[in-house]
Amino acid sequence: MSLDRQVLLFAGVMILLSIGLTLWVSSYFVWFTAFIGVNLIQSAFTGVCPAALAFKALGAKKGCAFE
Protein backbone atom coordinates (compact mmCIF):
# COMPACT_ATOMS: atom_id res chain seq x y z
CA MET A 1 0.00 0.00 0.00
CA SER A 2 1.44 3.37 -0.96
CA LEU A 3 2.05 6.21 1.49
CA ASP A 4 -0.86 8.20 0.06
CA ARG A 5 -3.33 5.39 0.61
CA GLN A 6 -2.02 4.76 4.12
CA VAL A 7 -2.54 8.41 5.03
CA LEU A 8 -6.07 8.41 3.60
CA LEU A 9 -6.92 5.20 5.43
CA PHE A 10 -5.50 6.54 8.69
CA ALA A 11 -7.42 9.82 8.36
CA GLY A 12 -10.67 7.97 7.67
CA VAL A 13 -10.23 5.65 10.62
CA MET A 14 -9.37 8.56 12.93
CA ILE A 15 -12.47 10.50 11.80
CA LEU A 16 -14.74 7.51 12.40
CA LEU A 17 -13.09 6.87 15.77
CA SER A 18 -13.50 10.50 16.83
CA ILE A 19 -17.17 10.50 15.79
CA GLY A 20 -17.74 7.34 17.84
CA LEU A 21 -15.98 8.85 20.84
CA THR A 22 -18.08 12.00 20.47
CA LEU A 23 -21.30 9.99 20.44
CA TRP A 24 -20.52 7.48 23.17
CA VAL A 25 -17.96 9.09 25.49
CA SER A 26 -17.98 12.89 25.50
CA SER A 27 -19.11 15.67 23.20
CA TYR A 28 -15.68 17.26 23.66
CA PHE A 29 -14.20 14.67 21.29
CA VAL A 30 -15.71 16.73 18.47
CA TRP A 31 -12.56 18.84 18.84
CA PHE A 32 -10.52 15.79 17.80
CA THR A 33 -12.61 15.58 14.62
CA ALA A 34 -12.04 19.29 14.01
CA PHE A 35 -8.29 18.84 14.52
CA ILE A 36 -8.20 16.07 11.92
CA GLY A 37 -10.09 18.25 9.45
CA VAL A 38 -7.77 21.22 9.98
CA ASN A 39 -4.75 18.93 9.57
CA LEU A 40 -6.15 17.63 6.25
CA ILE A 41 -6.70 21.19 5.00
CA GLN A 42 -3.23 22.25 6.11
CA SER A 43 -1.59 19.29 4.39
CA ALA A 44 -3.48 20.04 1.17
CA PHE A 45 -1.92 23.50 1.03
CA THR A 46 1.57 22.75 2.35
CA GLY A 47 2.14 19.13 1.33
CA VAL A 48 3.35 18.38 4.87
CA CYS A 49 1.44 15.82 6.90
CA PRO A 50 2.62 14.50 10.28
CA ALA A 51 1.05 11.10 9.59
CA ALA A 52 2.84 10.88 6.24
CA LEU A 53 6.14 11.66 7.93
CA ALA A 54 5.51 8.94 10.49
CA PHE A 55 4.50 6.35 7.89
CA LYS A 56 7.52 7.26 5.77
CA ALA A 57 9.79 6.73 8.79
CA LEU A 58 8.20 3.31 9.22
CA GLY A 59 9.17 2.40 5.66
CA ALA A 60 6.06 3.05 3.58
CA LYS A 61 6.70 3.15 -0.15
CA LYS A 62 6.36 6.52 -1.87
CA GLY A 63 3.14 7.83 -3.32
CA CYS A 64 2.28 10.77 -5.54
CA ALA A 65 1.01 13.28 -2.97
CA PHE A 66 3.50 12.83 -0.14
CA GLU A 67 7.12 12.29 -1.08
Coordinates of all heavy atoms in Angstrom, one line a residue:
M1 N 0.9 -1.2 0.0 CA 0.0 0.0 0.0 C 0.9 1.2 0.0 O 1.8 1.3 0.8 CB -0.9 0.0 1.2 CG -1.9 1.0 1.3 SD -3.0 1.0 2.7 CE -3.9 -0.5 2.5
S2 N 0.6 2.2 -0.9 CA 1.4 3.4 -1.0 C 1.2 4.3 0.2 O 0.2 4.2 1.0 CB 1.2 4.1 -2.3 OG -0.1 4.7 -2.2
L3 N 2.1 5.2 0.4 CA 2.1 6.2 1.5 C 0.8 7.0 1.4 O 0.1 7.2 2.5 CB 3.3 7.1 1.4 CG 3.4 8.3 2.4 CD1 3.4 7.7 3.8 CD2 4.6 9.1 2.2
D4 N 0.4 7.4 0.2 CA -0.9 8.2 0.1 C -2.1 7.4 0.6 O -2.9 8.0 1.3 CB -1.1 8.6 -1.4 CG 0.1 9.4 -2.0 OD1 0.8 10.0 -1.2 OD2 0.2 9.4 -3.2
R5 N -2.2 6.2 0.2 CA -3.3 5.4 0.6 C -3.3 5.1 2.1 O -4.3 5.1 2.8 CB -3.4 4.1 -0.2 CG -3.8 4.3 -1.6 CD -3.9 3.0 -2.3 NE -4.1 3.2 -3.7 CZ -5.3 3.1 -4.3 NH1 -6.4 2.9 -3.5 NH2 -5.5 3.3 -5.6
Q6 N -2.1 5.0 2.7 CA -2.0 4.8 4.1 C -2.5 6.0 4.9 O -3.2 5.9 5.9 CB -0.6 4.4 4.5 CG -0.2 3.0 4.1 CD 1.3 2.7 4.5 OE1 1.9 3.5 5.2 NE2 1.8 1.6 4.1
V7 N -2.1 7.2 4.4 CA -2.5 8.4 5.0 C -4.0 8.6 4.9 O -4.7 8.9 5.9 CB -1.8 9.6 4.4 CG1 -2.4 10.9 4.9 CG2 -0.3 9.6 4.8
L8 N -4.6 8.3 3.8 CA -6.1 8.4 3.6 C -6.8 7.4 4.5 O -7.8 7.8 5.1 CB -6.5 8.2 2.1 CG -6.0 9.3 1.2 CD1 -6.3 8.9 -0.3 CD2 -6.7 10.6 1.5
L9 N -6.3 6.2 4.6 CA -6.9 5.2 5.4 C -6.8 5.6 6.9 O -7.8 5.5 7.6 CB -6.2 3.8 5.2 CG -6.7 2.7 6.2 CD1 -8.1 2.4 5.9 CD2 -5.8 1.5 6.0
F10 N -5.7 6.1 7.3 CA -5.5 6.5 8.7 C -6.4 7.7 9.0 O -7.1 7.7 10.1 CB -4.0 6.9 8.9 CG -3.7 7.4 10.3 CD1 -3.7 6.5 11.3 CD2 -3.4 8.7 10.6 CE1 -3.4 6.9 12.6 CE2 -3.1 9.1 11.9 CZ -3.1 8.2 12.9
A11 N -6.5 8.7 8.1 CA -7.4 9.8 8.4 C -8.9 9.4 8.5 O -9.6 9.8 9.4 CB -7.3 10.8 7.2
G12 N -9.3 8.5 7.6 CA -10.7 8.0 7.7 C -11.0 7.2 9.0 O -12.0 7.4 9.6
V13 N -10.0 6.4 9.4 CA -10.2 5.6 10.6 C -10.3 6.6 11.8 O -11.1 6.5 12.7 CB -9.1 4.6 10.8 CG1 -9.1 4.0 12.2 CG2 -9.3 3.5 9.8
M14 N -9.4 7.6 11.8 CA -9.4 8.6 12.9 C -10.7 9.4 13.0 O -11.2 9.7 14.1 CB -8.2 9.5 12.8 CG -6.8 8.8 13.1 SD -6.7 8.3 14.8 CE -7.0 6.6 14.7
I15 N -11.2 9.8 11.8 CA -12.5 10.5 11.8 C -13.6 9.6 12.3 O -14.4 10.1 13.2 CB -12.8 11.0 10.4 CG1 -11.8 12.1 10.0 CG2 -14.2 11.5 10.3 CD1 -11.9 12.5 8.6
L16 N -13.7 8.4 11.9 CA -14.7 7.5 12.4 C -14.6 7.3 13.9 O -15.6 7.2 14.6 CB -14.7 6.2 11.6 CG -15.2 6.3 10.2 CD1 -15.0 4.9 9.5 CD2 -16.6 6.8 10.1
L17 N -13.3 7.1 14.4 CA -13.1 6.9 15.8 C -13.5 8.1 16.6 O -14.2 8.0 17.6 CB -11.6 6.6 16.0 CG -11.1 6.4 17.4 CD1 -11.8 5.2 18.1 CD2 -9.6 6.4 17.5
S18 N -13.2 9.3 16.1 CA -13.5 10.5 16.8 C -15.0 10.7 16.9 O -15.5 11.2 17.9 CB -12.8 11.7 16.3 OG -13.2 12.0 15.0
I19 N -15.7 10.4 15.8 CA -17.2 10.5 15.8 C -17.8 9.5 16.8 O -18.7 9.9 17.6 CB -17.7 10.3 14.4 CG1 -17.4 11.4 13.5 CG2 -19.3 10.1 14.4 CD1 -17.7 11.2 12.0
G20 N -17.3 8.3 16.8 CA -17.7 7.3 17.8 C -17.5 7.8 19.3 O -18.3 7.7 20.1
L21 N -16.3 8.3 19.5 CA -16.0 8.9 20.8 C -16.9 10.0 21.2 O -17.3 10.2 22.4 CB -14.5 9.2 20.9 CG -13.5 8.1 20.9 CD1 -12.1 8.6 20.7 CD2 -13.6 7.3 22.1
T22 N -17.2 10.9 20.2 CA -18.1 12.0 20.5 C -19.5 11.5 20.8 O -20.1 12.1 21.8 CB -18.2 12.9 19.2 OG1 -16.9 13.4 18.9 CG2 -19.1 14.1 19.4
L23 N -20.0 10.5 20.2 CA -21.3 10.0 20.4 C -21.4 9.2 21.8 O -22.4 9.4 22.5 CB -21.8 9.1 19.3 CG -22.1 9.7 18.0 CD1 -22.3 8.7 16.9 CD2 -23.3 10.7 18.1
W24 N -20.4 8.4 22.1 CA -20.5 7.5 23.2 C -19.7 7.8 24.4 O -20.0 7.3 25.5 CB -20.1 6.1 22.7 CG -21.1 5.6 21.7 CD1 -22.4 5.5 21.8 CD2 -20.7 5.0 20.4 NE1 -22.9 5.0 20.6 CE2 -21.9 4.7 19.7 CE3 -19.5 4.8 19.7 CZ2 -22.0 4.1 18.5 CZ3 -19.6 4.3 18.5 CH2 -20.8 3.9 17.9
V25 N -18.8 8.8 24.3 CA -18.0 9.1 25.5 C -18.2 10.5 26.0 O -18.7 10.8 27.1 CB -16.5 8.8 25.2 CG1 -15.6 9.2 26.4 CG2 -16.2 7.4 24.8
S26 N -17.9 11.5 25.1 CA -18.0 12.9 25.5 C -18.1 13.8 24.3 O -17.5 13.5 23.2 CB -16.8 13.3 26.3 OG -16.8 14.7 26.5
S27 N -18.9 14.8 24.3 CA -19.1 15.7 23.2 C -17.8 16.5 22.9 O -17.7 17.1 21.8 CB -20.3 16.6 23.4 OG -20.1 17.4 24.6
Y28 N -16.9 16.5 23.9 CA -15.7 17.3 23.7 C -14.8 16.6 22.6 O -13.9 17.2 22.1 CB -14.9 17.4 25.0 CG -15.6 18.4 25.9 CD1 -16.1 18.0 27.1 CD2 -15.7 19.7 25.6 CE1 -16.8 18.9 28.0 CE2 -16.4 20.6 26.4 CZ -16.9 20.2 27.6 OH -17.5 21.1 28.5
F29 N -15.0 15.3 22.3 CA -14.2 14.7 21.3 C -14.5 15.2 19.9 O -13.7 14.9 19.0 CB -14.4 13.2 21.3 CG -13.6 12.4 22.3 CD1 -14.2 12.0 23.5 CD2 -12.2 12.3 22.1 CE1 -13.4 11.3 24.4 CE2 -11.5 11.6 23.1 CZ -12.1 11.1 24.3
V30 N -15.5 16.1 19.8 CA -15.7 16.7 18.5 C -14.5 17.6 18.1 O -14.2 17.8 16.9 CB -17.0 17.5 18.5 CG1 -16.9 18.8 19.3 CG2 -17.5 17.8 17.1
W31 N -13.8 18.1 19.1 CA -12.6 18.8 18.8 C -11.5 18.0 18.2 O -10.7 18.5 17.4 CB -12.0 19.5 20.1 CG -13.0 20.6 20.6 CD1 -13.8 20.5 21.7 CD2 -13.2 21.8 20.0 NE1 -14.5 21.7 21.8 CE2 -14.1 22.5 20.8 CE3 -12.7 22.5 18.9 CZ2 -14.6 23.8 20.4 CZ3 -13.1 23.7 18.5 CH2 -14.1 24.4 19.3
F32 N -11.5 16.7 18.5 CA -10.5 15.8 17.8 C -10.9 15.7 16.3 O -10.0 15.7 15.5 CB -10.6 14.4 18.5 CG -9.6 13.4 18.0 CD1 -8.3 13.8 17.7 CD2 -10.0 12.1 17.8 CE1 -7.4 12.8 17.2 CE2 -9.1 11.2 17.3 CZ -7.8 11.5 17.0
T33 N -12.2 15.6 16.0 CA -12.6 15.6 14.6 C -12.2 16.9 13.9 O -11.7 16.8 12.8 CB -14.1 15.4 14.6 OG1 -14.5 14.3 15.4 CG2 -14.6 15.1 13.1
A34 N -12.4 18.0 14.6 CA -12.0 19.3 14.0 C -10.5 19.4 13.8 O -10.1 19.9 12.7 CB -12.5 20.4 14.9
F35 N -9.7 18.9 14.7 CA -8.3 18.8 14.5 C -7.9 18.0 13.3 O -7.0 18.5 12.5 CB -7.6 18.3 15.8 CG -6.2 18.0 15.6 CD1 -5.2 19.0 15.6 CD2 -5.7 16.7 15.4 CE1 -3.9 18.8 15.4 CE2 -4.3 16.5 15.2 CZ -3.4 17.5 15.3
I36 N -8.5 16.9 13.1 CA -8.2 16.1 11.9 C -8.5 16.8 10.6 O -7.8 16.8 9.7 CB -8.9 14.7 12.0 CG1 -8.5 13.9 13.2 CG2 -8.7 13.9 10.7 CD1 -9.4 12.7 13.5
G37 N -9.7 17.5 10.6 CA -10.1 18.3 9.5 C -9.1 19.4 9.1 O -8.7 19.6 8.0
V38 N -8.7 20.1 10.2 CA -7.8 21.2 10.0 C -6.4 20.7 9.5 O -5.8 21.3 8.6 CB -7.6 22.0 11.3 CG1 -6.4 23.0 11.2 CG2 -8.9 22.8 11.6
N39 N -6.0 19.5 10.0 CA -4.8 18.9 9.6 C -4.8 18.5 8.1 O -3.9 18.7 7.3 CB -4.4 17.7 10.5 CG -3.0 17.2 10.2 OD1 -2.2 17.9 9.6 ND2 -2.7 16.1 10.8
L40 N -6.0 18.0 7.7 CA -6.1 17.6 6.3 C -6.1 18.9 5.4 O -5.5 18.8 4.3 CB -7.5 16.9 6.1 CG -7.5 15.5 6.6 CD1 -8.9 14.9 6.6 CD2 -6.6 14.6 5.8
I41 N -6.7 19.9 5.8 CA -6.7 21.2 5.0 C -5.3 21.7 4.9 O -4.8 22.1 3.9 CB -7.7 22.2 5.6 CG1 -9.1 21.7 5.4 CG2 -7.5 23.6 5.0 CD1 -10.1 22.5 6.2
Q42 N -4.6 21.8 6.1 CA -3.2 22.3 6.1 C -2.3 21.4 5.2 O -1.5 22.0 4.5 CB -2.7 22.2 7.6 CG -1.3 22.5 7.8 CD -0.4 21.3 7.7 OE1 -0.8 20.2 8.2 NE2 0.8 21.4 7.2
S43 N -2.5 20.1 5.2 CA -1.6 19.3 4.4 C -1.9 19.4 2.9 O -1.0 19.3 2.1 CB -1.7 17.8 4.8 OG -3.0 17.3 4.5
A44 N -3.1 19.8 2.6 CA -3.5 20.0 1.2 C -2.8 21.3 0.6 O -2.3 21.3 -0.5 CB -5.0 20.2 1.0
F45 N -2.6 22.3 1.5 CA -1.9 23.5 1.0 C -0.4 23.4 1.1 O 0.3 24.0 0.3 CB -2.4 24.7 1.8 CG -3.8 25.2 1.4 CD1 -4.9 24.9 2.2 CD2 -4.0 25.8 0.2 CE1 -6.1 25.3 1.8 CE2 -5.2 26.3 -0.2 CZ -6.3 26.0 0.7
T46 N 0.1 22.8 2.1 CA 1.6 22.8 2.3 C 2.3 21.5 1.8 O 3.5 21.5 1.6 CB 1.9 22.9 3.8 OG1 1.4 21.8 4.5 CG2 1.3 24.2 4.4
G47 N 1.5 20.4 1.7 CA 2.1 19.1 1.3 C 2.9 18.4 2.5 O 3.5 17.4 2.3
V48 N 2.7 19.0 3.7 CA 3.4 18.4 4.9 C 2.3 17.8 5.8 O 1.3 18.5 6.1 CB 4.1 19.4 5.7 CG1 4.7 18.9 6.9 CG2 5.2 20.1 4.8
C49 N 2.4 16.5 6.1 CA 1.4 15.8 6.9 C 2.2 15.0 7.9 O 3.0 14.2 7.6 CB 0.6 14.9 6.1 SG -0.6 13.9 7.0
P50 N 1.9 15.3 9.2 CA 2.6 14.5 10.3 C 2.5 13.0 10.1 O 3.4 12.2 10.4 CB 2.0 15.0 11.6 CG 1.5 16.4 11.2 CD 1.0 16.3 9.8
A51 N 1.3 12.5 9.8 CA 1.0 11.1 9.6 C 1.9 10.6 8.4 O 2.5 9.5 8.5 CB -0.4 10.8 9.3
A52 N 2.0 11.3 7.4 CA 2.8 10.9 6.2 C 4.3 10.8 6.6 O 5.0 9.8 6.2 CB 2.7 11.8 5.1
L53 N 4.8 11.7 7.5 CA 6.1 11.7 7.9 C 6.4 10.4 8.8 O 7.4 9.8 8.7 CB 6.5 12.9 8.7 CG 6.4 14.2 7.9 CD1 6.6 15.4 8.9 CD2 7.5 14.2 6.8
A54 N 5.4 10.1 9.6 CA 5.5 8.9 10.5 C 5.5 7.6 9.7 O 6.3 6.8 9.9 CB 4.4 8.9 11.5
F55 N 4.6 7.6 8.7 CA 4.5 6.3 7.9 C 5.8 6.2 7.0 O 6.2 5.1 6.8 CB 3.3 6.4 7.0 CG 2.0 6.1 7.8 CD1 0.9 6.9 7.6 CD2 1.9 5.1 8.6 CE1 -0.3 6.7 8.2 CE2 0.7 4.8 9.3 CZ -0.4 5.6 9.1
K56 N 6.3 7.3 6.6 CA 7.5 7.3 5.8 C 8.7 6.8 6.6 O 9.5 6.0 6.2 CB 7.9 8.6 5.2 CG 9.0 8.6 4.2 CD 9.4 10.0 3.7 CE 8.3 10.8 3.2 NZ 8.8 12.2 2.8
A57 N 8.7 7.2 7.9 CA 9.8 6.7 8.8 C 9.7 5.2 9.1 O 10.6 4.6 9.4 CB 9.7 7.5 10.1
L58 N 8.4 4.7 9.0 CA 8.2 3.3 9.2 C 8.4 2.5 8.0 O 8.3 1.2 8.0 CB 6.8 3.1 9.7 CG 6.5 3.6 11.1 CD1 5.0 3.5 11.5 CD2 7.3 2.9 12.2
G59 N 8.8 3.1 6.9 CA 9.2 2.4 5.7 C 8.1 2.3 4.6 O 8.2 1.4 3.7
A60 N 7.1 3.1 4.6 CA 6.1 3.1 3.6 C 6.6 3.5 2.2 O 7.5 4.3 2.2 CB 4.9 4.0 3.9
K61 N 6.2 2.8 1.2 CA 6.7 3.2 -0.1 C 6.0 4.4 -0.6 O 4.9 4.7 -0.3 CB 6.5 2.0 -1.1 CG 5.1 1.5 -1.3 CD 5.1 0.4 -2.3 CE 3.6 -0.2 -2.4 NZ 3.5 -1.1 -3.4
K62 N 6.8 5.2 -1.4 CA 6.4 6.5 -1.9 C 5.0 6.5 -2.6 O 4.7 5.5 -3.3 CB 7.4 7.1 -2.8 CG 8.6 7.7 -2.0 CD 9.4 8.5 -3.0 CE 10.5 9.3 -2.3 NZ 11.2 10.1 -3.2
G63 N 4.4 7.6 -2.5 CA 3.1 7.8 -3.3 C 3.3 9.1 -4.2 O 4.4 9.6 -4.3
C64 N 2.2 9.6 -4.7 CA 2.3 10.8 -5.5 C 2.2 12.0 -4.7 O 2.8 13.0 -5.0 CB 1.2 10.7 -6.6 SG 1.3 9.4 -7.7
A65 N 1.3 12.1 -3.7 CA 1.0 13.3 -3.0 C 2.1 13.6 -1.9 O 2.5 14.7 -1.8 CB -0.3 13.2 -2.3
F66 N 2.5 12.6 -1.2 CA 3.5 12.8 -0.1 C 4.8 12.1 -0.5 O 4.8 10.9 -0.6 CB 3.0 12.3 1.2 CG 1.7 12.9 1.6 CD1 0.5 12.1 1.5 CD2 1.6 14.2 2.1 CE1 -0.7 12.7 1.9 CE2 0.4 14.7 2.4 CZ -0.8 14.0 2.4
E67 N 5.8 12.9 -0.7 CA 7.1 12.3 -1.1 C 8.2 12.4 0.0 O 8.1 13.0 0.9 CB 7.6 13.0 -2.3 CG 6.7 12.7 -3.5 CD 7.2 13.4 -4.8 OE1 8.3 14.0 -4.8 OE2 6.5 13.4 -5.7

